[in-house]
C-alpha cells in the first residue's frame, strides 16, 4: 500500500492514521510505530509527547456520553493536536 511504502521509504519514528475506522490499534513496521486512532466520533485519538529522550505516543479514548464526544473536549474534528 501507499502508506506502507511511505513508511519503508522515509522511516518515521511514528506514523498516525485515522482513516481505517474499523482497524483501531497499534502496530510496528520495522522501527516505525503505527497508531490508528479509529473514528474520532467514537473518542479515539493518539497523544504524542516530546520528552528529553525523544517522543512517545499512546492510543487513547475520550470518555464519551450519548451522541459522541463531550463538548468540553479540547479537540476539534479534523484537527491535529500535538502535546
Amino acid at each position: 500500500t501507499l502508506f506502507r511504502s511511505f513508511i519503508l521509504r522515509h522511516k518515521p519514528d511514528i506514523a498516525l492514521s485515522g482513516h481505517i475506522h474499523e482497524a483501531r490499534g497499534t502496530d510496528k513496521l520495522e522501527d516505525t510505530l503505527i497508531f490508528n486512532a479509529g473514528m474520532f466520533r467514537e473518542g479515539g485519538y493518539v497523544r504524542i509527547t516530546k520528552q528529553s529522550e525523544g517522543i512517545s505516543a499512546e492510543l487513547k479514548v475520550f470518555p464519551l456520553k450519548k451522541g459522541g464526544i463531550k463538548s468540553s473536549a479540547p479537540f476539534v474534528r479534523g484537527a491535529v493536536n500535538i502535546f
Side-chain angles (χ1 to χ4, degrees):
T1 67
L2 186 58
F3 190 66
R4 180 182 174 84
S5 297
F6 179 88
I7 291 171
L8 292 173
R9 183 176 189 194
H10 297 284
K11 304 185 184 316
D13 294 323
I14 296 174
L16 304 175
S17 173
H19 181 72
I20 305 169
H21 302 270
E22 56 280 340
R24 183 178 185 280
T26 61
D27 203 350
K28 189 171 184 176
L29 181 58
E30 293 187 353
D31 291 329
T32 300
L33 296 175
I34 303 168
F35 293 85
N36 181 356
M39 295 179 71
F40 186 70
R41 72 176 177 202
E42 292 180 1
Y45 70 100
V46 177
R47 171 172 260 170
I48 301 172
T49 307
K50 183 178 177 184
Q51 302 170 332
S52 59
E53 63 274 0
I55 57 175
S56 67
E58 58 185 322
L59 195 58
K60 306 283 279 179
V61 177
F62 279 117
L64 299 177
K65 62 181 187 179
K66 188 175 181 180
I69 296 172
K70 291 181 177 180
S71 60
S72 62
F75 297 84
V76 176
R77 186 178 195 151
V80 175
N81 295 276
I82 299 176
F83 297 91

